[in-house]
Amino acid sequence: MATMHDVARLAQVSVSTVSYVLTGTRPISQATRNRVLAAMAELDYQPNAMARGLASRRSRILGLLMPMDERGLGATETAFVTGAAAAASAAGYHLVLSPVGGGNLDDLRRLASQRMLDGVVLMEVQLADERVTVLQEAGVPLVLIGRTGDTSTLSYVDIDFDQTVREAVAHLVGLGHRRIVYVNHSAATLASGYGPALRTRDAFTAAMTGHGLEPVMIAAEDSAAGGRAALAAAFARTPELTAVLAMNETAIFGILGELTGRGLSVPDDVSVVSMVTSPQVAELATPALTAMTSPGSALGRIAIEALVRHLDGSAVDRHQQLLPCALEVRGSTAAPRSRQPMGADQ
């Protein structure tokens, strides 16, 4: 691979002159510039991202800030990343994934101050998300995948949780279910102000009330054990339950396991709908899960495209868009059949 020294040697100029041609930090005669550019073309010299960034005052690097725990990324989260990465590449940018959460504000301030990122897309957004304030104060352009409580000055794309939950509940009610329990994320996640957990909680209450039904929500830890415990709690509160709606991909397999352990069949005894789920995850279960399929790839793509328009100066106004999940009926939902109510000890 050709280096800057190779270019300087072929063009018969100093290395610093090649640097000045790349960065534009000093005037260079057109004749000298032409010799340097000709040498670069002959050697197929590719200036690195830092050199190009100095010339344009851009790094051509975008950040995707996505908090992660020891579980890493599942298939549903990966769809957001792949959609964003493809859009960044198509626009001539590199995408860097950084696991910066609300508890790492000092790390985020350091990252913002280094000016290595032209802009960022923020994921796993809380209603009062301090990361937004840090980035705005640092002057870093940003787009959210998710929404804070006040979005008046922000660009975002997000799932339309109201429509998604409304359609999921309507599907179950249309099959004849009246005792439906919603398994959400953990109590700690709700208390932290995590937007999807709070918005789906409220949307479930509104949807069930709209059908004249009692809304019952159970918070579950993000684990298979959490799913088993959540289902036990659900039966304790609603022994006659015939359907479970869940937005907790890690817990969903614990829910299914607990149903099997209680001698209950899906969907004959209990129907199950998984919300904000990828087809890959839905089809891992037996039977395959009826799901509200996440538009993750589209959200990742749209967020990057909105950010690039802002960086290029072609954005007329803030970009604010909601996309619902799509109902995909598989084998885990059916009309309820009568059975004896089950208590928590069964």
Side-chain angles (χ1 to χ4, degrees), residues 71 73-77 183-185 222-224 246-254 274-282 289 292 294:
R71 291 182 292 109
L73 295 179
T76 301
E77 295 95 342
V183 177
N184 202 333
H185 286 285
D222 293 350
S223 66
M247 189 184 69
N248 190 322
E249 242 179 32
T250 313
I252 193 75
F253 293 98
S274 184
M275 258 192 338
V276 193
T277 298
S278 67
Q280 295 92 326
V281 172
L289 292 169
M292 302 302 297
S294 167

Side-chain angles (χ1 to χ4, degrees), residues 191 333 342:
T333 53
M342 298 195 71

Side-chain angles (χ1 to χ4, degrees), residues 60 69 85 106 114 117 247 252 264 269 276 283 300:
R60 307 297 294 184
D69 57 23
D106 288 340
Q114 291 168 357
L117 302 177
M247 189 184 69
I252 193 75
L264 296 174
D269 296 307
V276 193
E283 290 165 6

Side-chain angles (χ1 to χ4, degrees), residues 242 268-269 335-340:
T242 63
D268 295 333
D269 296 307
R337 69 179 185 183
S338 59
R339 59 176 171 78
Q340 288 296 108

Side-chain angles (χ1 to χ4, degrees), residues 3-23 28-47:
T3 67
M4 193 180 294
H5 287 83
D6 297 328
V7 173
R9 190 178 303 113
L10 182 60
Q12 296 183 327
V13 298
S14 66
V15 172
S16 60
T17 297
V18 176
S19 177
Y20 296 148
V21 170
L22 287 170
T23 63
I28 300 294
S29 72
Q30 191 60 48
T32 301
R33 179 183 296 275
N34 289 342
R35 281 210 319 278
V36 170
L37 293 176
M40 290 171 60
E42 183 176 336
L43 295 170
D44 193 25
Y45 173 70
Q46 300 294 323

Side-chain angles (χ1 to χ4, degrees), residues 29 102 144 183 185 204 209 245 250 276 279 299 301 311 323 330:
S29 72
L144 311 183
V183 177
H185 286 285
F204 179 71
T209 302
L245 174 63
T250 313
V276 193
L299 289 173
R301 172 182 57 79
L311 295 172
L323 296 180
R330 297 185 179 88

